[in-house]
């Protein structure tokens, strides 16, 4: 065949060499060996482009790489029919040699066997399903146990299918090629079934798993229509992805070269792309009101559908072009925020164990915050690890190398971890403070020790919350800067110098803050108490670091800096003694008046309206002084702060009525008019005196 003398005159191979050559040819004809040789060749051929792709290239270099990839795909498209015919011949020979049914019929037969095993489990577990359906969600623990029991049942349901299909198939001996094909597609079916169980667990569409009230077990809070839509679509997409992965793997087993396999993979990817676009356009939309437009309510539904369509098409094009780094960056950029939002909503839906605030909304609990923030940290760290692997960044090697870029990257990672940890601690502290404040929303008995403790807690905790927030923010910034390689010691020293300068320039503000600290340490006043200081008086509504907000009883509000308060008169502590006087005539029987007033005090003491606020009953102290027109009787009672006015009005009304019934008349001023003007002047004086007495009587009757 060749004209080389060496080969023309060479000796003929001996029988031993001929046997070795024949064994080599038989080994090359083996489909698995041929597949391995082709994959090794593909890996070798792809090593150089991959090495070039990992280096920064110019626009011209990118165009060259793209043209080479397009050329390979066109070659694969032209070679696909011949590769398919050759693979079909290999598979036909394998089936004829094993005298077994075709793999497609075996897959269908063992899928049917799996469905039969699944039906048997369904029938045997009817009691289990009835018990799960009868569970009541009285507490968070009950809800978690019921959802876990339902997940366990769904997992066992799929395990029964896997044992009936895969397990039953593997119990027999098959040729390697047939075994790999059937096992691969049965495994894809099992993956599809597991995906349906997972989405049934998360979304729980109505009637899923044979449960009539399946929506009670829903983890992700969505509507019934959305749950049904996404459970079906996501299950189909996962199933198709599993089918495509198995198919591409089996093409390599059947001896397909890399370009034809890539053509098949991208063609199967088009179906996955269409499934995603169809799911986006046909998804149930939530019609929001104009007052609650939602997070992206200003963007129309159609515009959002087009945006996601362009996004999915862009992902497919990046995958086809082999630009895997931009592909994974785009996937993480869209998936990470969505995953974090779904985790937050799911945790809030599962762990609704917090206290309800004044607006009826549930506050998250400590466990809810820990789980939500912990899962969020895991998602962020996982995204970082994935991107590091895609971008060929060795996270373990960052610490062993020393360059400006690596130091910055190492510092950024450390700063991110610090911020996540401080964010977790701060949210736990905030939840604890909010829960404690929520427990103090309901008032207790006026003047009781529990009520005083409640007022003090509602006074101090908001200030503590603000101080801790500032402290956490400062610590987080300092630690993050330190991890980035910034020397924080000069910053702290500079901050001290700036603080001193600000202190000299803003002495009033510093004085307000320090004065407020001493007022709080002295427990001078609390939220809800009525205080008076100079010309300022009112009910304490809230605090800031430098001022107190007072609400006047007529509605006006004062914002008073702490340094301007001075001496504070607290009118809402412990008890109040209210004193009042009544003027009666000089001829009044004082002992009789004392008995009447004492009786009125006892009646008020047993009155349900005033018994809770009365500390000491009304009693007369005696004659306070001799007035110009009568005797001035002095009385007093002790009551809860803030309630003395209501009791005083009732007491005066009862005293006036009792005095009138017992003939005790109020004192009237006597006016004597002397002169020579006659009876007209005297009549005018008597008329003026009568009007004055009527005014006094009307004032006493009105309280």
């Amino acid at each position: 065949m060749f004209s080389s003398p060496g080969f023309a005159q060479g000796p003929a191979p001996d029988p031993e060499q001929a046997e070795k050559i024949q064994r080599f040819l038989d080994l090359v004809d083996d489909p698995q060996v041929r597949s391995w040789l082709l994959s090794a060749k593909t890996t070798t051929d792809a090593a150089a482009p991959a090495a070039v792709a990992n280096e920064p290239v110019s626009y011209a270099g990118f165009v060259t790489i793209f043209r080479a990839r397009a050329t390979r795909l066109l070659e694969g498209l032209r070679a696909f029919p011949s590769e398919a015919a050759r693979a079909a011949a290999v598979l036909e020979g394998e089936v004829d040699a094993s005298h077994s049914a075709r793999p497609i019929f075996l897959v269908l037969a063992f899928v049917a066997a799996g469905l039969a095993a699944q039906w048997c489990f369904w029938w045997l577990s009817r009691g289990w399903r009835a018990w799960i359906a009868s569970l009541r969600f009285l507490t968070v623990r009950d809800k978690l146990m019921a959802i876990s029991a339902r997940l366990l049942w769904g997992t066992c349901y799929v395990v029964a299918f896997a044992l009936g299909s895969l397990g039953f198939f593997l119990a027999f001996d098959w040729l390697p090629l047939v075994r790999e094909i059937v096992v691969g597609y049965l495994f894809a079916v099992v993956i599809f079934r597991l995906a349906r169980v997972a989405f049934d667990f998360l979304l729980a569409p109505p009637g899923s798993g044979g449960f009539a009230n399946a929506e009670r077990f829903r983890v992700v809070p969505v509507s019934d229509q959305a749950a049904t839509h996404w459970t079906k679509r996501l299950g189909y997409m996962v199933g198709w992805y599993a089918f495509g992965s198995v198919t591409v793997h089996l093409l390599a087993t059947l001896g397909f070269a890399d370009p034809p396999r890539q053509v098949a993979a991208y063609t199967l990817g088009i179906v996955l792309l269409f499934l995603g676009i169809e799911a986006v356009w046909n998804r149930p939309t939530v019609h929001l009101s104009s007052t609650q437009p939602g997070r992206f309510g200003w963007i129309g539904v159609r515009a959002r559908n087009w945006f996601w369509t362009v996004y999915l098409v862009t992902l497919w094009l990046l995958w086809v072009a082999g630009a895997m780094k931009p592909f994974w960056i785009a996937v993480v950029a869209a998936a990470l925020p969505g995953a974090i939002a779904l985790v937050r909503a799911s945790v809030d839906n599962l762990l609704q164990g917090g206290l309800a605030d004044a607006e009826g909304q549930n506050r998250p609990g400590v466990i809810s915050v820990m789980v939500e923030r912990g899962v969020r940290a895991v998602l962020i760290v996982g995204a970082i690890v994935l991107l590091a692997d895609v971008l060929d960044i060795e996270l373990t090697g960052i610490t062993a190398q020393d360059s400006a870029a690596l130091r910055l990257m190492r510092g950024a990672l450390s700063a991110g971890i610090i911020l996540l940890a401080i964010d977790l601690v701060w949210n736990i502290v905030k939840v604890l403070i909010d829960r404690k404040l929520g427990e103090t929303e309901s008032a207790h008995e006026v003047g009781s020790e529990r009520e005083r403790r409640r007022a003090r807690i509602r006074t101090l905790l908001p200030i503590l919350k603000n101080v801790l927030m500032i402290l956490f923010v400062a610590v987080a910034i300092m630690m993050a800067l330190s991890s980035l390689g910034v020397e924080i010691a000069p910053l702290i020293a500079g901050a001290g110098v700036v603080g001193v300068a600000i202190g000299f320039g803003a002495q009033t503000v510093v004085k307000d803050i320090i004065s407020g600290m001493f007022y709080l340490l002295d427990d001078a006043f609390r939220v809800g108490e009525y205080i008076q200081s100079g010309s300022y008086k009112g009910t304490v509504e809230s605090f800031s670091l430098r001022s107190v907000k007072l609400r006047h009883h007529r509605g006006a509000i004062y914002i008073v800096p702490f340094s301007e308060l001075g001496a504070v008169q607290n009118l809402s502590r412990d008890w109040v003694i209210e004193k009042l006087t009544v003027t009666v005539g000089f001829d009044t029987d004082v002992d009789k008046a004392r008995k009447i007033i004492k009786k009125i005090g006892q009646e008020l003491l047993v009155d349900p309206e005033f018994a809770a606020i009365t500390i000491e009953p009304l009693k007369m102290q005696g004659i306070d002084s001799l007035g110009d027109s009568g005797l001035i009787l002095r009385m007093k009672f002790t009551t809860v702060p803030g309630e003395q006015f209501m009791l005083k009005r009732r007491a005066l009304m009862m005293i006036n009525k009792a005095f009138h019934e017992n003939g005790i008349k109020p004192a009237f001023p006597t006016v004597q008019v002397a002169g020579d003007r006659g009876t007209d002047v005297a009549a005018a004086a008597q008329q003026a005196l009568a009007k004055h007495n009527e005014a006094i009587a009307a004032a006493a009757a009105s309280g």
Side-chain angles (χ1 to χ4, degrees):
M1 184 173 70
F2 298 97
S3 59
S4 172
F7 281 98
Q9 299 177 2
D14 57 16
E16 183 177 357
Q17 290 179 344
E19 183 180 358
K20 291 181 180 180
I21 293 174
Q22 185 61 39
R23 282 187 297 179
F24 173 76
L25 294 176
D26 294 338
L27 188 62
V28 171
D29 289 336
D30 191 349
Q32 293 185 354
V33 175
R34 186 183 301 171
S35 174
W36 180 84
L37 292 174
L38 290 173
S39 62
K41 180 179 181 299
T42 301
T43 303
T44 304
D45 294 340
V52 174
N54 289 333
E55 298 178 357
V57 296
S58 61
Y59 175 76
F62 175 79
V63 171
T64 302
I65 295 175
F66 181 79
R67 288 179 178 176
R69 188 174 183 83
T71 303
R72 285 172 57 84
L73 291 179
L74 290 176
E75 292 176 356
L77 186 61
R78 288 193 295 266
F80 191 84
S82 60
E83 293 279 352
R86 185 180 55 78
V90 172
L91 181 60
E92 188 73 22
E94 186 83 5
V95 171
D96 293 339
S98 61
H99 302 288
S100 62
R102 296 186 178 276
I104 182 64
F105 297 117
L106 292 176
V107 171
L108 294 176
F110 285 99
V111 167
L115 293 175
Q118 187 174 269
W119 180 86
C120 292
F121 175 79
W122 173 278
W123 183 77
L124 293 174
S125 64
R126 60 186 184 277
W128 189 2
R129 286 186 288 109
W131 172 75
I132 295 175
S134 65
L135 293 176
R136 300 177 62 187
F137 298 164
L138 300 179
T139 62
V140 174
R141 181 181 179 184
D142 295 339
K143 188 174 184 179
L144 293 177
M145 290 183 61
I147 292 176
S148 301
R150 185 173 180 270
L151 177 62
L152 179 61
W153 179 88
T155 305
C156 294
Y157 188 64
V158 177
V159 169
F161 174 83
L163 292 177
S165 56
L166 273 173
F168 189 50
F169 175 80
L170 294 176
F172 299 94
D173 291 331
W174 306 91
L175 289 179
L177 185 59
V178 175
R179 176 189 293 269
E180 188 170 356
I181 293 175
V182 176
V183 168
Y185 284 115
L186 289 179
F187 183 75
V189 176
V190 172
I191 293 297
F192 168 70
R193 305 288 296 179
L194 282 175
R196 287 300 300 265
V197 169
F199 295 129
D200 282 344
F201 165 71
L202 295 174
L203 301 175
S208 61
F211 296 95
N213 53 354
E215 56 273 10
R216 296 192 308 139
F217 303 91
R218 187 168 297 158
V219 176
V220 181
V222 294
S223 63
D224 292 343
Q225 296 81 3
T228 302
H229 173 84
W230 289 112
T231 299
K232 290 182 178 179
R233 268 63 175 190
L234 293 176
Y236 294 155
M237 285 189 279
V238 172
W240 184 259
Y241 179 80
F243 170 79
S245 299
V246 171
T247 300
V248 174
H249 175 74
L250 290 176
L251 290 180
T253 303
L254 291 173
F256 272 70
D258 186 59
R261 285 196 302 117
Q262 288 182 345
V263 170
Y266 298 147
T267 305
L268 294 173
I270 293 177
V271 178
L272 192 63
L273 174 64
F274 286 159
L275 289 175
I277 295 175
E278 187 274 336
V280 168
W281 281 90
N282 292 328
R283 75 185 191 277
T285 57
V286 179
H287 299 285
L288 300 174
S289 62
S290 58
T291 58
Q292 295 179 349
R295 187 177 181 183
F296 299 103
W298 56 276
I299 304 178
V301 176
R302 190 177 183 86
R304 277 178 279 175
N305 291 343
W306 277 111
F307 169 78
W308 286 112
T309 301
V310 172
Y311 172 78
L312 294 176
V313 172
T314 303
L315 286 183
W316 185 83
L317 291 176
L318 289 175
W319 177 47
V320 172
M324 300 310 297
K325 293 181 180 180
F327 172 85
W328 284 112
I329 291 175
V331 169
V332 171
L336 184 59
I340 291 175
L342 287 178
V343 167
R344 182 186 300 111
S346 302
V347 171
D348 292 341
N349 181 45
L350 288 179
L351 304 177
Q352 290 180 351
L355 297 173
D357 57 16
E359 299 179 355
Q361 298 178 351
N362 285 329
R363 295 193 183 98
V366 177
I367 298 179
S368 175
V369 171
M370 292 180 64
V371 172
E372 188 265 327
R373 299 289 168 168
V375 175
R376 188 180 70 168
V378 171
L379 291 175
I380 294 175
V381 173
I384 292 174
V385 172
L386 175 61
L387 291 179
D389 181 68
V390 171
L391 300 176
D392 297 328
I393 299 175
E394 295 184 4
L395 296 177
T396 57
I398 292 179
T399 57
Q401 302 178 14
D402 191 13
S403 64
L406 291 179
R407 283 198 301 269
L408 182 61
M409 186 178 300
R410 183 166 59 244
L413 292 176
S414 301
I417 295 173
I418 291 171
L419 293 178
L420 288 175
I422 292 181
D423 176 71
L424 174 61
V425 176
W426 160 243
N427 278 276
I428 293 175
V429 172
K430 184 175 68 172
V431 166
L432 292 175
I433 293 176
D434 290 342
R435 170 172 291 186
K436 193 64 178 179
L437 287 174
E439 294 175 355
T440 59
E441 286 183 352
S442 57
H444 301 291
E445 183 180 354
V446 179
S448 63
E449 181 63 28
R450 296 180 64 188
E451 177 63 20
R452 288 193 291 269
R453 189 184 304 112
R454 183 188 79 91
R456 183 156 179 79
I457 289 174
R458 294 187 65 82
T459 300
L460 296 178
L461 282 186
I463 298 177
L464 176 63
K465 181 179 177 181
N466 293 332
V467 172
L468 289 178
M469 181 186 67
I470 296 174
L471 178 63
F472 278 122
V473 170
V475 171
I477 293 175
M478 290 299 176
M479 295 182 67
L481 291 176
S482 177
S483 63
L484 289 172
V486 178
E487 293 292 338
I488 63 174
L491 291 178
I492 296 176
V497 174
V498 173
V500 172
I502 293 176
F504 280 111
Q507 296 183 31
T508 304
V509 177
V510 176
K511 184 179 179 181
D512 291 336
I513 296 174
I514 296 176
S515 299
M517 293 174 58
F518 282 107
Y519 277 120
L520 295 177
L521 290 176
D522 293 338
D523 194 19
F525 41 80
R526 305 166 187 165
V527 173
E529 293 183 339
Y530 193 91
I531 66 173
Q532 182 174 354
S533 175
S535 60
Y536 305 112
K537 59 182 178 180
T539 303
V540 179
E541 283 196 347
S542 62
F543 295 91
S544 67
L545 290 177
R546 60 172 297 271
S547 63
V548 59
K549 188 180 294 184
L550 301 180
R551 175 74 66 176
H552 194 269
H553 57 272
R554 292 182 179 177
I557 190 168
Y558 299 111
I559 300 177
V560 187
F562 285 117
S563 61
E564 296 184 11
L565 282 178
V568 175
Q569 183 181 5
N570 195 324
L571 304 177
S572 300
R573 287 288 174 89
D574 302 331
W575 43 265
V576 171
I577 296 178
E578 183 69 17
K579 295 184 178 182
L580 57 157
T581 58
V582 176
T583 305
V584 297
F586 286 108
D587 58 347
T588 301
D589 187 351
V590 178
D591 291 334
K592 183 178 180 181
R594 179 184 289 108
K595 292 179 181 179
I596 292 173
I597 293 173
K598 182 178 180 181
K599 182 180 179 181
I600 292 173
Q602 295 299 322
E603 291 177 359
L604 291 173
L605 185 62
V606 298
D607 190 336
E609 185 179 357
F610 302 101
I613 64 175
T614 303
I615 299 176
E616 292 185 5
L618 176 70
K619 60 184 178 181
M620 192 179 81
Q621 295 179 287
I623 299 175
D624 183 65
S625 61
L626 299 177
D628 295 335
S629 58
L631 303 175
I632 300 177
L633 304 181
R634 187 179 184 90
M635 295 160 284
K636 73 171 186 177
F637 60 85
T638 306
T639 183
V640 173
E643 307 294 338
Q644 67 269 25
F645 307 105
M646 182 173 59
L647 186 58
K648 178 181 178 179
R649 288 190 291 267
R650 177 65 65 86
L652 288 174
M653 184 179 64
M654 295 176 68
I655 289 171
N656 179 63
K657 181 179 179 182
F659 279 5
H660 180 73
E661 293 175 351
N662 288 275
I664 300 177
K665 297 180 180 180
F668 297 101
T670 302
V671 180
Q672 294 183 355
V673 180
D676 297 333
R677 301 185 63 180
T679 58
D680 293 338
V681 176
Q686 291 294 331
Q687 186 178 1
L689 180 61
K691 291 182 178 180
H692 179 69
N693 292 336
E694 289 177 1
I696 294 176
S702 63

